[in-house]
Amino acid sequence: MAKEIIKIENLTKKYGKNTILKDISAEVKDGDIISVIGPSGAGKSTFLRCLTLLEKPTAGVVSLEGEDLTKKTQKEIEHVREKVGMVFQNFNLFPNMTVLKNITLAPIRVKGLSEAKANQQALSLLDQVGLSDKAEAYPDNLSGGQRQRVAIARALAMKPDVMLFDEPTSALDPEMVGEVLDVMRQLAKSGMTMVVVTHEMGFAQSVSNQIWFMENAGIQEKSTPEEFFSNPKTDRAKEFLSKILVK
Amino acid sequence: MKKIYKFIMLALLAITVFATSGFTTSIKADQKDVTYDRIMKRGYIVLGTSPDYAPYEFQTTSNNKSKDVGMDISVAKDIADDLGVKLKIKNMDFDSLLVALQTGKVDMVLSGMNPSAARRKSVDFSDVYYKGGQSILINKKDAGIYKNKDSFKHKKIAAQTGSIQYNLAKKQIDGAKVSGIQKGADLILALQTNKVEGVVMEKPTAEAYAANNSGIKVIQGGFTLNDDETSTAVAMPKNSPVLRKKINTTISKIKAKNLLPQYLKEAGTYLKGNTVNTSMIHYWKYFAMGVGYTILISILGVIFGFITGTLLALLRLSDNKVLRGLSAAYVEFVRGTPLMVQLMFVYFGLGLFVNLPALTAGIIAVSLNSGAYVAEVIRGGINSVDDGQREAAESLGLNKRDRMRFVIMPQALKNIWPALGNEFISLIKESSIVSIIGVTDLIYQLKIVQSDTYRGVAPIVVAMILYFVMTFSLSRLLKFYERKFNNG
């Protein structure tokens, strides 16, 4: 059996009286590629952000490789985050630094890598995402697809055990979605554990080994892509799929 | 809530300790003459004076160095000689002199000061060393209208702020509108530009001004005067029995030898020298020195203001409620009080504990003041950075310090650069306030050149142009860096 990476037990998140997530339990195992799908407002992004404690859960436990994150201090969480890569919808590259500096900042400051070593690693990552000629460019001079690929390289530079993607292609022009999904496919093939919040059904179907369908503050259905897309168990999933397919 | 309450109590306690410490010095002085002991131990006596009151005290230039001269300065030299110590002179506004005595910034004051009953409550006076009358200066063209004080009923008249003449005009001229003006030169300027119809001034001073300004004339004041209002004496801190005795000995010696007419005559020769060349170019060294100090204060003010402001902004954004509250309170308090009051608090107030030179006090006050404004600008800049930047930095495992240093601050700084530039430009201008405690910045030099040349407007124009050159250069420099930021 594969090693357990993330374990979520009875996770609840409330903003005031609004319940965003209600009593969610789930597990991510080593090598899993999980697509989290569902209608807008289902709490997908909040759920993903709770996994790295960018949002603090109201109740429940999130553990990473057996360690309960909700009990850790702010300082300790900083250490944990090295192991979890995060890719955002809006890229969130640092506009005041070159692409290379964006990638090397954390390895140098957090992991204590030498600049030469960090640069070498960053260049090989840039090569991996097809952007080796953009090392000295500033983010503002890149296209959306290029920015997101840099953001992926930046997260990978910390050599994380798991990568979280929060709608990585939603802010992109349609013609740029492909290049980012290609990079993610490649990453999946290399054995990286991934949790992807996405609206790209094709990607969910072809790449992931599990679909988590979220609606109404909870995970309504966990199944394999084959099962989910051909024979969804819940009425809500059926309804969601019919809407998507009509589009 | 409890914490906030504790803080208020602590603050009150600090203020009480601070306020009472002034009294403790005077209690000690009952037993001993601390001022005298201090002078003898140091080997010099500090004279406080406001050198804009020829022929009592004013500044003159020799070998391109300005120095204080006048009757009072000669008397002070005699006092120092008789004590066997050196004389050091501290120049400041007339209004600040008594505070300077009470806070130990100076040991004695000779500044044409009348020993009035009100002043006697806060300081000690020596025997009277000089008796003059009170005169009124008018424009020559008005000689037909004004004969004495009674001609000024319901008219506009001016006198030096906080002086005996000011009170005389208020009390003895019915319905007169009395303006208080700080400097002697400005009084003359007000008269010459018809802002006022007359200026009440001590007789020898009035005569000196009239002798050097062809358009003005001295008339008899005709005031009802008691001894306090005609006489001049040396002021010293309360309870200085030994010092007072020594000074009185010197004064009786001066009286016995009848030295004062000679001192006045000497002062007159300096006055004549001053009126020979009154072109502004002749005084370029004064202005250059003033610009030098203004730049020094501004640069240090910007640096320390920026450091203070950054610290305050970070405190304001910290997770600790108490630190947040403290920072907010500081900003509100400093923004809610005038820089001038803060400056006097730093110089005279803190002066009770540490003897800060005027320049240091000025730089501290300007920096602390600027810090409050900079803090708000920086806080706004930090809040203007997209939250996604913080989240991205956090998710990479960067700690709070690195997030600030590498990600948030550089972006905030770019956003706030124009606002920060404004703050620094106004700092240059506001630094002019330090002249009231005697820092020889541009404004101070402007006053000196005014009183030196008896020309009112020309030095103002020169100072104005110099300020503009400084602020405009800074604004160009900031624009240059703004462009650099935007290209990077």
Side-chain angles (χ1 to χ4, degrees), chain A residues 49 81 92-94 96 109, chain B residues 388-389 391 394 402 406:
Chain A
R49 290 151 64 85
R81 288 203 179 110
N92 294 341
L93 291 180
F94 307 135
N96 54 316
R109 299 299 304 180
Chain B
Q389 293 290 312
E391 289 188 343
E394 250 181 62
D402 282 357
F406 294 104

Side-chain angles (χ1 to χ4, degrees), chain B residues 388-415:
Chain B
Q389 293 290 312
R390 177 187 57 78
E391 289 188 343
E394 250 181 62
S395 74
L396 285 168
L398 290 166
N399 62 34
K400 201 169 177 181
R401 228 183 107 166
D402 282 357
R403 292 201 295 267
M404 266 297 158
R405 182 173 155 201
F406 294 104
V407 179
I408 309 294
M409 268 308 235
Q411 296 183 55
L413 212 54
K414 184 183 160 185
N415 292 346

